[in-house]
Each structure stands twice: as structure tokens, then as C-alpha cells.
Amino acid sequence: MRYGFGVDLGGTTVKIAYFDEHGTMLSKWEIPTVTTGGGQQILPDIAASIKDYMLEHDVESNEIVGIGIGVPGPVDGKGVVNKCVNLGWGVFNISEALSQLTGLNVKAGNDANVAALGEYWKGGGQGCDNMVFVTLGTGVGGGIVIDGNLLHGAHGSGAEIGHLVLNRDETDMCGCGKRGCVEQYCSATGIVRMAYKHLAATDAFSSLRNLEAITCKDIFDAGKAGDAVALEILDNYYALLGEFLADLCCVVNPEAVVLGGGVSKAGKMLIEGTQPYFQKYVFHAASNVRFELASLGNDAGAYGAFKLALDAFA
Amino acid sequence: MRYGFGVDLGGTTVKIAYFDEHGTMLSKWEIPTVTTGGGQQILPDIAASIKDYMLEHDVESNEIVGIGIGVPGPVDGKGVVNKCVNLGWGVFNISEALSQLTGLNVKAGNDANVAALGEYWKGGGQGCDNMVFVTLGTGVGGGIVIDGNLLHGAHGSGAEIGHLVLNRDETDMCGCGKRGCVEQYCSATGIVRMAYKHLAATDAFSSLRNLEAITCKDIFDAGKAGDAVALEILDNYYALLGEFLADLCCVVNPEAVVLGGGVSKAGKMLIEGTQPYFQKYVFHAASNVRFELASLGNDAGAYGAFKLALDAFA
């Protein structure tokens, strides 16, 4: 039996997990991400944490297949990171750097793409060699698996699906500087933004008006309770999400769409609301798609990162 | 040196070409596509034509890597065709069937996807391992190359990019039964449809009004001659094509977009008109994209089909 590490590098914490080659997570822990000084301490900290674990548990280097790491920014096929703004990083080869520090094989990928690989391997997308993973959180991100492999893209920016255009006439600006991106409508932030717009445009009664600050959950809860305005907001949301997912499926023709992130906590209600619009907008030959909920939560990145290493070095 | 055949199966003719393993086309010819009787004569005709060629030119079976074939319909990874309406075909394994008839290895793919592989290998996309091929013809089709391999999709319907939604409010119906598809705006037919709508909505002078039936070429020619209405029509076209290509590039992050089909004959004018809108709509991390014109014309399918066989069997 061989083993390895999956590392999910975030802006605040680094999640590290130790796996056997079958993908059983044997241990997991976190260390803080130290972003001061251009983030130069991050990789030495990760290397030290992994070496400590190996020493403590009598793990030899030759038992280790490798380390996989998901990074919050573009990473190309050779492991070159192209600026991770919230880590303070510029352009360098992270695989080579972390490999030098640990003496182990290292394979790197974008964090959202790597999480998609995790959900494909051990989560909601199991058994689907062609799969689209969509996170509906503060933003909209995701990853695409084609014939069992991640779509990294030419410059490590594959599957930046939160920034497809849904509305050419939008006047508000997206975080990316464009106007009308998917993220402005389909994220947890987006549905709240649209709820406020909807409430401002009507005088109709809604329980949402009593709330000091509306959350995504409030909107689904009000809809479940029969609030007519909340149901209109949700219907509009389902239509936009349905078109977005239909567009993705016309490009990729996946077996499954796996939904994660905060909005996906609405679960069955979200899927049942979105599916009719998905079917309206999708091309018939690409319409045979299963909707699944992500099942690995915050561990998806670590699973996917280790799978990346396994695919590269095992 | 080994050799092989690339077959581009269309609704009217079958194009067959003979290649050496480096992709030099040594010979090409056509036979009619006999679609009567549920299209049951099509594969025996192709097999006979290939066997005749081999006999005439003293080619032994062991010199042949295989036959690649592009088919006008969905084909999954195992070679199962899922209804080619204009050939009269239902569901069957075309690779197995043609292999039995010829005694040679056969690999099949969707015709538009296979043409993309041809342009990647020997045409406008050479050297770009991540590439999107878009044909702007009677319809809009295309294919996607990821890390040098075709995106076939789970059910052989990958890259049905003509049916992404560009306009949720469209009232006219697309050939596919939906409303607002890319094909309704960005095809050669689409730009003519939009030109008539534009002309009907204004009284402004335009040389296009003198024409009995407006063609795509007429619109570009009028624009080149400074016709203000034609330039408005083209500007609207560039905006829609720019958004469509930006959406594709946010998903795929390719090195190059290769444009083929009738509209692409407008060449540099088309690319220069579309690029500013593309840059407006694309996510910054996926914006580093070259625009190229397809260069293989009607031979793209045969090149790509042989490459499919080469990748599978060489």
C-alpha cells in the first residue's frame, strides 16, 4: 500500500490530509496561511507540517506517491502559478518549489478545479467520467472533468464559469470588473442582490421586508413558507441558473452536474426549481444530465488534490 | 511507414482520403452517400471503396493503422452512433460495423468534432493543445480540443456550441426547437435574418435594400463600402459573436479560437470587428487567446478523422 498528501491551500488556512492509495482519508489537520512577506513562508510551513507528520508516524518517503495541492489562482499544466493575489504570490513553479522543500513528487492545480476532481472521485460525481462541478457560494466557481481528467485550460484558467455573460445590459459591476457575469446572479451574494432589487421594485407584502439583512437561506425559507415575492425571486433565480447550466452542458455534454457551495444547501428545492428551466434552455442531445449535490463539503479540495498526485505519479 | 484512411461522411457525399502516418494526404476522392433504405448501403459502399483503393495500389492490411470516420450525429467514445437523422440511421456501433466490413481498425467521432481535430493537427490551430473550433456556416457547430484530445462528451454531444442561449427573449424558433440559440444570430443564416429585421426597423438608406436576396457576403461587402446600416448590422453581429466566443473561452481557456465556415471568409474584417467585444465580455484570466482562420476547408474532416484513428491505434 502507498500513501500521499492532499493540500487545500486557502487564504486563511491550509487544509492538509493524509490518504492511502484507495482514497481513504486517514488523517486531516489545518495550519494557518501566513500571507505576510509576499507569502514566502507558505510553502516552507506546508513542507514542515508534512515532514513532521511523516516523522511522527514513521512514514518513509518511498511509501509516498506524492503531494497534490490546490491553489487559489491559475496554475498551468507544468505547475506554474500565475499570481495568487490573496496569497501575495507572483509567477513561479509551485510544483518544483514544494518538491524541493519536501523531496516528494508534487502536482498542483487550481483549487476549484481540484475540488471538482475530489467530487468526481469520492463525492457527488462518482462514476461520471464527464462531469461539471459548480460551486454557488460567495462567488460562482467550479471545475470540469473530461474523460476522468481535469480541464486545466491553456493558462490554468479553465472552468472560470462564474464569469460567463448572462446579461449584456447589466449596469452593476462584477468583482472581476465586467458587467453581467453569472456570479452576479447565481452566487449566494447574487440571489440576495436580486432579492433587494425585486423588493425595491414592488410594494407587495413579503416577510423578507421584516429582516434587517436578507440571506440566501432567508429567501429559500420564505419561499418554502409560501411568500409570493420570495417565490418570484426564486423563480427568476432558477431561470438564470437553468440557462447557465444549460450553456455549460451544451459545451461539455456531461453525465452529471454536481452543485456545491452555500446555495446548494437548499438541496432538492434548488434542483427541482432549476430543472424545468434547464430543460427549456439545453440542447436536446445534451439534456440527459443528472443533478447531484456535492457531498464532500470542505474536504473536496484535499481529496481532489491527492487524486491529482495519484493520477500523475502512481 | 504506415498509412490510413480518413472518412468524412456527409448527407450527400462521402469524402475519403488516404494518408501516410505523418498526415500527408496522398490521395482523396468522393463517393455518393446512398441514404435510401435506412442508409444500410452507406458502410458497405465505404468499405468497398477503401478495399478497391487498397487493391489498385497494392496496399496490404498490415500497412494500415486504421480508418477514422466523422459522422453527422452524436457518437460516443465506444463508437455508438445515436441517430443520424439525415442518413436514416438509428443506434448502432459504427466502429464495429465498419471494422467487420473492412478487417481494419476503425475509430469514429462526430463530424464537427473531427473537423476540429483536423484543424488542430494540420490547420489553423496547429501547436495549440487547447483549442476551440467554431464553424459559422448555415448553422453554427464546432469542436473542442483539450490537451490535444477531442472533447466527445458523455453521449457524443460535446461542443454543440451552436445551441448556447444568447437571448432568452427571442420569439423566433431555432432549428432545434429552442429560442435564442447562438445559431440564430451567429450563423451565415443568422446574420441575414438579423439584417432583414434591422432593415425593417429603420428607414435609413442602405445599398442592401436594392438586393433581391441578401447574403452574408453582401452585408460584409456593403460594410466595407461604408454602408451605415450594414455597419450597424455588423456591429451587432460582432457583439453577439464576441459574447459567444468569450463564454466559450471562460469555460475552456484555449490558446486559440479557430473560425471556419462561410462567415469566416470575411477573414480579417470579421476578426478585427469581433475582438473588441470579445475582450469586453471575456474573463481576464482567459483573455489571452489567438484568433485564427480555419485553413483546411472541406478537407478538415478527413484530416481529423485520420488523426482520430492514428491517436487510437498507432
Side-chain angles (χ1 to χ4, degrees):
Chain A
M1 177 79 84
R2 297 186 76 199
Y3 303 87
F5 296 91
V7 180
D8 184 10
L9 171 49
T12 318
T13 57
V14 186
K15 297 185 187 70
I16 306 177
Y18 183 60
F19 293 90
D20 70 24
E21 67 190 7
H22 301 307
T24 308
M25 191 187 276
L26 303 171
S27 180
K28 69 171 168 171
W29 65 97
E30 294 186 7
I31 60 171
T33 308
V34 179
T35 55
T36 49
Q40 58 181 314
Q41 201 47 46
I42 295 173
L43 293 186
D45 284 350
I46 293 171
S49 184
I50 285 175
K51 282 198 263 186
D52 285 351
Y53 183 90
M54 289 173 66
L55 259 177
E56 269 174 46
H57 296 82
D58 279 327
V59 180
E60 300 289 332
S61 287
N62 59 16
E63 297 176 77
I64 299 296
V65 176
I67 302 171
I69 182 166
V71 172
V75 185
D76 76 10
K78 295 188 185 93
V80 176
V81 168
N82 188 5
K83 291 176 193 165
C84 294
V85 182
N86 50 352
L87 301 182
W89 282 0
V91 180
F92 71 103
N93 190 309
I94 186 180
S95 297
E96 283 175 18
L98 187 57
S99 187
Q100 237 158 28
L101 290 166
T102 57
L104 299 169
N105 294 318
V106 176
K107 184 81 184 173
N110 169 267
D111 57 358
N113 292 346
V114 163
L117 192 62
E119 288 289 342
Y120 159 67
W121 192 33
K122 295 289 175 183
Q126 280 176 72
C128 299
D129 276 354
N130 292 277
M131 187 204 84
V132 173
F133 174 57
V134 181
T135 54
L136 306 166
T138 310
V140 172
I144 296 171
V145 173
I146 309 273
D147 295 335
N149 297 305
L150 268 184
L151 185 164
H152 292 283
H155 313 100
S157 299
E160 286 287 2
I161 55 181
H163 300 281
L164 273 77
V165 178
L166 266 188
N167 177 9
R168 284 182 294 279
D169 303 323
E170 180 60 71
T171 50
D172 291 353
M173 195 182 274
C174 178
C176 77
K178 298 198 297 155
R179 287 179 169 82
C181 293
V182 162
E183 188 160 293
Q184 291 181 275
Y185 311 93
C186 297
S187 64
T189 327
I191 189 172
V192 170
R193 185 181 74 93
M194 293 206 298
Y196 279 113
K197 289 205 171 208
H198 197 97
L199 287 165
T202 166
D203 286 331
F205 167 83
S206 170
S207 61
L208 295 172
R209 295 194 196 274
N210 303 329
L211 302 170
E212 210 163 291
I214 299 172
T215 65
C216 171
K217 183 171 183 301
D218 292 332
I219 301 165
F220 280 95
D221 285 347
K224 237 179 273 181
D227 185 287
V229 171
L231 288 171
E232 287 166 16
I233 295 166
L234 286 172
D235 192 59
N236 188 33
Y237 179 83
Y238 297 146
L240 290 167
L241 183 63
E243 181 197 326
F244 162 51
L245 298 178
D247 285 350
L248 282 181
C249 290
C250 280
V251 178
V252 176
N253 181 214
E255 289 158 81
V257 169
V258 178
L259 300 173
V263 184
S264 75
K265 292 193 178 135
K268 215 174 140 187
M269 185 177 174
L270 173 71
I271 291 178
E272 286 178 357
T274 305
Q275 254 169 346
Y277 287 106
F278 174 80
Q279 290 298 336
K280 174 180 175 184
Y281 291 123
V282 76
F283 185 58
H284 56 82
S287 64
N288 183 9
V289 175
R290 268 168 40 207
F291 283 77
E292 301 284 348
L293 295 169
S295 64
L296 300 179
N298 287 331
D299 291 341
Y303 277 99
F306 174 58
K307 176 70 164 130
L308 206 58
L310 209 57
D311 287 349
F313 308 117
Chain B
M1 180 77 84
R2 299 186 74 196
Y3 304 87
F5 296 91
V7 180
D8 184 10
L9 170 51
T12 317
T13 58
V14 186
K15 297 184 188 71
I16 307 177
Y18 184 60
F19 294 91
D20 70 23
E21 65 190 10
H22 301 307
T24 309
M25 192 187 274
L26 303 170
S27 180
K28 66 171 171 174
W29 65 98
E30 295 186 6
I31 60 171
T33 307
V34 179
T35 56
T36 48
Q40 61 182 310
Q41 201 47 47
I42 296 173
L43 292 185
D45 285 350
I46 294 171
S49 183
I50 286 175
K51 283 199 260 185
D52 285 352
Y53 183 89
M54 289 172 68
L55 260 177
E56 269 174 46
H57 296 81
D58 279 328
V59 180
E60 301 290 334
S61 286
N62 59 18
E63 296 178 78
I64 299 296
V65 176
I67 302 171
I69 182 166
V71 172
V75 186
D76 75 11
K78 296 188 183 94
V80 176
V81 168
N82 188 6
K83 293 178 193 165
C84 293
V85 182
N86 52 351
L87 301 182
W89 283 359
V91 179
F92 72 104
N93 191 310
I94 185 180
S95 297
E96 283 175 19
L98 187 57
S99 186
Q100 235 159 32
L101 290 165
T102 56
L104 299 169
N105 293 319
V106 176
K107 183 81 184 172
N110 168 268
D111 56 359
N113 291 347
V114 163
L117 193 63
E119 287 289 344
Y120 159 67
W121 192 35
K122 295 288 175 185
Q126 280 177 72
C128 299
D129 276 353
N130 292 277
M131 189 203 83
V132 173
F133 174 58
V134 180
T135 55
L136 305 165
T138 311
V140 172
I144 296 171
V145 174
I146 309 271
D147 294 336
N149 297 305
L150 267 183
L151 186 163
H152 292 284
H155 313 101
S157 298
E160 287 287 2
I161 55 181
H163 300 280
L164 271 77
V165 178
L166 266 188
N167 178 8
R168 284 183 295 277
D169 302 322
E170 179 61 72
T171 51
D172 292 354
M173 196 183 274
C174 178
C176 77
K178 296 198 299 156
R179 287 179 167 83
C181 293
V182 162
E183 188 159 293
Q184 290 181 276
Y185 311 92
C186 297
S187 64
T189 327
I191 190 172
V192 170
R193 184 181 75 93
M194 291 205 299
Y196 279 113
K197 289 207 168 205
H198 197 96
L199 287 164
T202 167
D203 287 331
F205 167 83
S206 170
S207 61
L208 294 172
R209 295 193 196 277
N210 303 329
L211 301 169
E212 209 162 292
I214 299 172
T215 66
C216 172
K217 184 171 183 303
D218 292 332
I219 301 166
F220 279 95
D221 286 347
K224 238 179 273 181
D227 185 288
V229 171
L231 288 171
E232 287 166 15
I233 294 166
L234 286 171
D235 191 59
N236 188 33
Y237 179 82
Y238 297 147
L240 290 167
L241 182 62
E243 181 196 328
F244 161 52
L245 297 179
D247 284 350
L248 282 181
C249 289
C250 279
V251 179
V252 177
N253 180 215
E255 289 157 82
V257 168
V258 178
L259 299 173
V263 184
S264 75
K265 291 189 179 137
K268 215 174 138 185
M269 184 176 176
L270 173 70
I271 290 178
E272 287 178 356
T274 304
Q275 254 169 344
Y277 287 106
F278 173 79
Q279 290 298 336
K280 175 181 174 183
Y281 291 122
V282 77
F283 185 59
H284 54 84
S287 64
N288 183 8
V289 176
R290 268 166 42 207
F291 282 77
E292 301 284 345
L293 296 169
S295 65
L296 299 178
N298 288 331
D299 290 341
Y303 276 99
F306 174 58
K307 175 72 165 123
L308 206 59
L310 208 56
D311 287 347
F313 308 117

Short mmCIF file of all heavy atoms in Angstrom, two decimals, chain B residues 171-210:
data_model
loop_
_atom_site.label_atom_id
_atom_site.label_comp_id
_atom_site.label_asym_id
_atom_site.label_seq_id
_atom_site.Cartn_x
_atom_site.Cartn_y
_atom_site.Cartn_z
N THR B 171 -38.21 35.44 -29.92
CA THR B 171 -39.52 34.86 -30.23
C THR B 171 -39.42 33.87 -31.40
O THR B 171 -40.22 32.94 -31.48
CB THR B 171 -40.53 35.96 -30.56
OG1 THR B 171 -39.96 36.83 -31.55
CG2 THR B 171 -40.87 36.78 -29.31
N ASP B 172 -38.47 34.07 -32.32
CA ASP B 172 -38.29 33.13 -33.44
C ASP B 172 -37.71 31.81 -32.93
O ASP B 172 -36.94 31.79 -31.97
CB ASP B 172 -37.33 33.71 -34.49
CG ASP B 172 -37.92 34.90 -35.22
OD1 ASP B 172 -39.10 35.21 -34.99
OD2 ASP B 172 -37.19 35.54 -36.00
N MET B 173 -38.06 30.74 -33.60
CA MET B 173 -37.60 29.42 -33.17
C MET B 173 -36.34 29.00 -33.93
O MET B 173 -36.23 29.21 -35.14
CB MET B 173 -38.71 28.39 -33.38
CG MET B 173 -38.45 27.09 -32.61
SD MET B 173 -39.70 25.83 -32.91
CE MET B 173 -40.94 26.30 -31.69
N CYS B 174 -35.40 28.40 -33.24
CA CYS B 174 -34.20 27.81 -33.84
C CYS B 174 -34.59 26.47 -34.48
O CYS B 174 -35.62 25.88 -34.14
CB CYS B 174 -33.16 27.60 -32.73
SG CYS B 174 -31.62 26.82 -33.29
N GLY B 175 -33.77 26.00 -35.38
CA GLY B 175 -34.00 24.69 -36.00
C GLY B 175 -34.11 23.57 -34.98
O GLY B 175 -34.75 22.54 -35.23
N CYS B 176 -33.52 23.76 -33.80
CA CYS B 176 -33.51 22.71 -32.77
C CYS B 176 -34.77 22.73 -31.93
O CYS B 176 -34.97 21.85 -31.08
CB CYS B 176 -32.29 22.88 -31.87
SG CYS B 176 -32.43 24.22 -30.64
N GLY B 177 -35.63 23.74 -32.13
CA GLY B 177 -36.87 23.81 -31.35
C GLY B 177 -36.80 24.78 -30.18
O GLY B 177 -37.83 25.12 -29.59
N LYS B 178 -35.58 25.22 -29.82
CA LYS B 178 -35.45 26.21 -28.75
C LYS B 178 -35.55 27.62 -29.33
O LYS B 178 -35.67 27.81 -30.53
CB LYS B 178 -34.08 26.06 -28.06
CG LYS B 178 -33.87 24.75 -27.34
CD LYS B 178 -32.72 24.87 -26.33
CE LYS B 178 -31.39 25.22 -26.97
NZ LYS B 178 -30.47 25.86 -26.04
N ARG B 179 -35.44 28.61 -28.47
CA ARG B 179 -35.47 30.01 -28.90
C ARG B 179 -34.28 30.74 -28.32
O ARG B 179 -34.02 30.65 -27.13
CB ARG B 179 -36.77 30.68 -28.45
CG ARG B 179 -37.98 30.21 -29.23
CD ARG B 179 -39.26 30.88 -28.75
NE ARG B 179 -40.34 30.66 -29.70
CZ ARG B 179 -41.09 29.55 -29.76
NH1 ARG B 179 -40.88 28.58 -28.89
NH2 ARG B 179 -42.02 29.41 -30.68
N GLY B 180 -33.55 31.48 -29.19
CA GLY B 180 -32.46 32.32 -28.70
C GLY B 180 -31.08 31.68 -28.81
O GLY B 180 -30.13 32.19 -28.21
N CYS B 181 -30.95 30.59 -29.59
CA CYS B 181 -29.66 29.91 -29.74
C CYS B 181 -28.65 30.76 -30.51
O CYS B 181 -29.02 31.51 -31.41
CB CYS B 181 -29.83 28.59 -30.49
SG CYS B 181 -30.78 27.37 -29.58
N VAL B 182 -27.38 30.57 -30.21
CA VAL B 182 -26.26 31.19 -30.92
C VAL B 182 -26.46 31.10 -32.44
O VAL B 182 -26.25 32.06 -33.17
CB VAL B 182 -24.94 30.48 -30.51
CG1 VAL B 182 -23.83 30.76 -31.51
CG2 VAL B 182 -24.52 30.92 -29.10
N GLU B 183 -26.86 29.93 -32.89
CA GLU B 183 -27.05 29.67 -34.32
C GLU B 183 -28.00 30.66 -34.99
O GLU B 183 -27.87 30.95 -36.18
CB GLU B 183 -27.58 28.23 -34.47
CG GLU B 183 -27.64 27.72 -35.87
CD GLU B 183 -27.68 26.20 -35.90
OE1 GLU B 183 -26.68 25.57 -35.53
OE2 GLU B 183 -28.71 25.64 -36.30
N GLN B 184 -28.97 31.18 -34.24
CA GLN B 184 -29.95 32.11 -34.81
C GLN B 184 -29.36 33.49 -35.06
O GLN B 184 -29.99 34.32 -35.70
CB GLN B 184 -31.16 32.25 -33.86
CG GLN B 184 -32.02 30.99 -33.79
CD GLN B 184 -33.21 31.19 -32.86
OE1 GLN B 184 -33.09 31.04 -31.66
NE2 GLN B 184 -34.35 31.56 -33.42
N TYR B 185 -28.17 33.74 -34.54
CA TYR B 185 -27.55 35.06 -34.69
C TYR B 185 -26.21 34.99 -35.41
O TYR B 185 -25.90 35.82 -36.23
CB TYR B 185 -27.34 35.72 -33.31
CG TYR B 185 -28.58 35.68 -32.47
CD1 TYR B 185 -28.79 34.63 -31.58
CD2 TYR B 185 -29.57 36.65 -32.61
CE1 TYR B 185 -29.96 34.57 -30.83
CE2 TYR B 185 -30.73 36.59 -31.87
CZ TYR B 185 -30.93 35.55 -30.98
OH TYR B 185 -32.07 35.48 -30.26
N CYS B 186 -25.42 33.97 -35.07
CA CYS B 186 -24.01 33.97 -35.48
C CYS B 186 -23.73 33.16 -36.74
O CYS B 186 -22.64 33.22 -37.28
CB CYS B 186 -23.13 33.46 -34.34
SG CYS B 186 -23.18 34.53 -32.89
N SER B 187 -24.70 32.40 -37.23
CA SER B 187 -24.51 31.66 -38.48
C SER B 187 -24.63 32.61 -39.66
O SER B 187 -25.07 33.75 -39.51
CB SER B 187 -25.57 30.56 -38.59
OG SER B 187 -26.86 31.15 -38.68
N ALA B 188 -24.26 32.12 -40.85
CA ALA B 188 -24.46 32.90 -42.08
C ALA B 188 -25.94 33.18 -42.28
O ALA B 188 -26.33 34.26 -42.77
CB ALA B 188 -23.87 32.14 -43.27
N THR B 189 -26.77 32.25 -41.91
CA THR B 189 -28.22 32.42 -42.00
C THR B 189 -28.68 33.45 -40.96
O THR B 189 -29.58 34.25 -41.21
CB THR B 189 -28.93 31.08 -41.69
OG1 THR B 189 -28.12 30.01 -42.18
CG2 THR B 189 -30.29 31.02 -42.33
N GLY B 190 -28.07 33.39 -39.80
CA GLY B 190 -28.45 34.27 -38.69
C GLY B 190 -28.17 35.73 -38.98
O GLY B 190 -28.99 36.60 -38.68
N ILE B 191 -27.02 36.00 -39.59
CA ILE B 191 -26.69 37.40 -39.85
C ILE B 191 -27.65 37.97 -40.91
O ILE B 191 -28.05 39.13 -40.84
CB ILE B 191 -25.20 37.60 -40.24
CG1 ILE B 191 -24.85 39.08 -40.27
CG2 ILE B 191 -24.83 36.92 -41.52
CD1 ILE B 191 -23.37 39.37 -40.44
N VAL B 192 -28.06 37.13 -41.86
CA VAL B 192 -29.03 37.58 -42.87
C VAL B 192 -30.40 37.84 -42.21
O VAL B 192 -31.05 38.85 -42.47
CB VAL B 192 -29.15 36.55 -44.01
CG1 VAL B 192 -30.32 36.87 -44.92
CG2 VAL B 192 -27.84 36.47 -44.80
N ARG B 193 -30.79 36.93 -41.32
CA ARG B 193 -32.05 37.11 -40.59
C ARG B 193 -32.04 38.43 -39.81
O ARG B 193 -32.99 39.21 -39.86
CB ARG B 193 -32.22 35.93 -39.60
CG ARG B 193 -33.53 35.91 -38.83
CD ARG B 193 -33.59 34.71 -37.85
NE ARG B 193 -32.77 34.91 -36.67
CZ ARG B 193 -33.20 35.42 -35.51
NH1 ARG B 193 -34.47 35.76 -35.37
NH2 ARG B 193 -32.39 35.58 -34.49
N MET B 194 -30.93 38.71 -39.17
CA MET B 194 -30.84 39.94 -38.39
C MET B 194 -30.79 41.17 -39.29
O MET B 194 -31.28 42.23 -38.91
CB MET B 194 -29.62 39.88 -37.48
CG MET B 194 -29.78 38.84 -36.38
SD MET B 194 -28.77 39.24 -34.97
CE MET B 194 -27.17 39.19 -35.74
N ALA B 195 -30.19 41.01 -40.48
CA ALA B 195 -30.13 42.14 -41.41
C ALA B 195 -31.54 42.54 -41.85
O ALA B 195 -31.89 43.72 -41.87
CB ALA B 195 -29.28 41.76 -42.63
N TYR B 196 -32.36 41.55 -42.18
CA TYR B 196 -33.74 41.86 -42.59
C TYR B 196 -34.51 42.53 -41.46
O TYR B 196 -35.26 43.48 -41.68
CB TYR B 196 -34.47 40.59 -43.06
CG TYR B 196 -34.14 40.21 -44.49
CD1 TYR B 196 -33.42 39.05 -44.79
CD2 TYR B 196 -34.53 41.03 -45.55
CE1 TYR B 196 -33.10 38.71 -46.09
CE2 TYR B 196 -34.22 40.69 -46.87
CZ TYR B 196 -33.50 39.53 -47.13
OH TYR B 196 -33.20 39.21 -48.43
N LYS B 197 -34.32 42.07 -40.23
CA LYS B 197 -35.00 42.68 -39.09
C LYS B 197 -34.55 44.13 -38.92
O LYS B 197 -35.36 45.01 -38.64
CB LYS B 197 -34.68 41.90 -37.80
CG LYS B 197 -35.32 40.54 -37.74
CD LYS B 197 -35.55 40.10 -36.30
CE LYS B 197 -36.45 38.87 -36.31
NZ LYS B 197 -37.18 38.70 -35.07
N HIS B 198 -33.25 44.32 -39.07
CA HIS B 198 -32.69 45.66 -38.89
C HIS B 198 -33.22 46.61 -39.96
O HIS B 198 -33.61 47.74 -39.68
CB HIS B 198 -31.16 45.57 -38.96
CG HIS B 198 -30.46 46.76 -38.40
ND1 HIS B 198 -29.99 46.79 -37.11
CD2 HIS B 198 -30.16 47.98 -38.94
CE1 HIS B 198 -29.43 47.98 -36.89
NE2 HIS B 198 -29.51 48.70 -37.99
N LEU B 199 -33.25 46.13 -41.21
CA LEU B 199 -33.73 46.97 -42.31
C LEU B 199 -35.21 47.31 -42.13
O LEU B 199 -35.64 48.42 -42.45
CB LEU B 199 -33.51 46.25 -43.65
CG LEU B 199 -32.05 46.19 -44.12
CD1 LEU B 199 -31.88 45.16 -45.22
CD2 LEU B 199 -31.59 47.58 -44.60
N ALA B 200 -35.97 46.37 -41.61
CA ALA B 200 -37.40 46.60 -41.42
C ALA B 200 -37.66 47.62 -40.32
O ALA B 200 -38.70 48.28 -40.31
CB ALA B 200 -38.10 45.28 -41.09
N ALA B 201 -36.71 47.76 -39.41
CA ALA B 201 -36.91 48.62 -38.25
C ALA B 201 -36.44 50.06 -38.48
O ALA B 201 -36.57 50.90 -37.61
CB ALA B 201 -36.19 48.04 -37.03
N THR B 202 -35.90 50.33 -39.65
CA THR B 202 -35.40 51.69 -39.94
C THR B 202 -35.74 52.08 -41.38
O THR B 202 -35.97 51.23 -42.23
CB THR B 202 -33.85 51.75 -39.75
OG1 THR B 202 -33.37 52.97 -40.32
CG2 THR B 202 -33.14 50.61 -40.44
N ASP B 203 -35.77 53.38 -41.61
CA ASP B 203 -36.00 53.88 -42.97
C ASP B 203 -34.70 54.34 -43.61
O ASP B 203 -34.69 54.80 -44.74
CB ASP B 203 -36.97 55.08 -42.93
CG ASP B 203 -38.39 54.63 -42.65
OD1 ASP B 203 -38.72 53.48 -43.03
OD2 ASP B 203 -39.15 55.41 -42.05
N ALA B 204 -33.62 54.23 -42.87
CA ALA B 204 -32.34 54.76 -43.36
C ALA B 204 -31.95 54.12 -44.69
O ALA B 204 -32.27 52.97 -44.97
CB ALA B 204 -31.26 54.48 -42.32
N PHE B 205 -31.25 54.91 -45.50
CA PHE B 205 -30.78 54.40 -46.78
C PHE B 205 -29.79 53.26 -46.56
O PHE B 205 -28.97 53.29 -45.64
CB PHE B 205 -30.06 55.52 -47.56
CG PHE B 205 -29.29 54.98 -48.73
CD1 PHE B 205 -29.93 54.73 -49.95
CD2 PHE B 205 -27.93 54.67 -48.60
CE1 PHE B 205 -29.21 54.20 -51.01
CE2 PHE B 205 -27.22 54.14 -49.68
CZ PHE B 205 -27.86 53.90 -50.88
N SER B 206 -29.90 52.24 -47.41
CA SER B 206 -28.87 51.19 -47.42
C SER B 206 -28.84 50.53 -48.78
O SER B 206 -29.89 50.26 -49.37
CB SER B 206 -29.17 50.14 -46.35
OG SER B 206 -28.29 49.04 -46.52
N SER B 207 -27.64 50.28 -49.28
CA SER B 207 -27.49 49.60 -50.58
C SER B 207 -28.07 48.19 -50.51
O SER B 207 -28.42 47.60 -51.52
CB SER B 207 -26.02 49.53 -50.97
OG SER B 207 -25.30 48.80 -49.98
N LEU B 208 -28.22 47.67 -49.28
CA LEU B 208 -28.76 46.32 -49.13
C LEU B 208 -30.22 46.25 -49.58
O LEU B 208 -30.71 45.19 -49.96
CB LEU B 208 -28.66 45.87 -47.66
CG LEU B 208 -27.24 45.68 -47.11
CD1 LEU B 208 -27.27 45.44 -45.61
CD2 LEU B 208 -26.54 44.51 -47.81
N ARG B 209 -30.92 47.41 -49.55
CA ARG B 209 -32.33 47.41 -49.94
C ARG B 209 -32.52 47.12 -51.42
O ARG B 209 -33.60 46.74 -51.85
CB ARG B 209 -32.97 48.77 -49.61
CG ARG B 209 -33.02 49.06 -48.12
CD ARG B 209 -33.94 50.25 -47.82
NE ARG B 209 -33.71 50.76 -46.48
CZ ARG B 209 -34.25 50.25 -45.37
NH1 ARG B 209 -35.06 49.23 -45.46
NH2 ARG B 209 -33.98 50.78 -44.20
N ASN B 210 -31.47 47.32 -52.22
CA ASN B 210 -31.57 47.09 -53.66
C ASN B 210 -31.47 45.62 -54.03
O ASN B 210 -31.71 45.25 -55.17
CB ASN B 210 -30.45 47.85 -54.39
CG ASN B 210 -30.48 49.33 -54.08
OD1 ASN B 210 -31.56 49.89 -53.84
ND2 ASN B 210 -29.32 49.97 -54.07
#
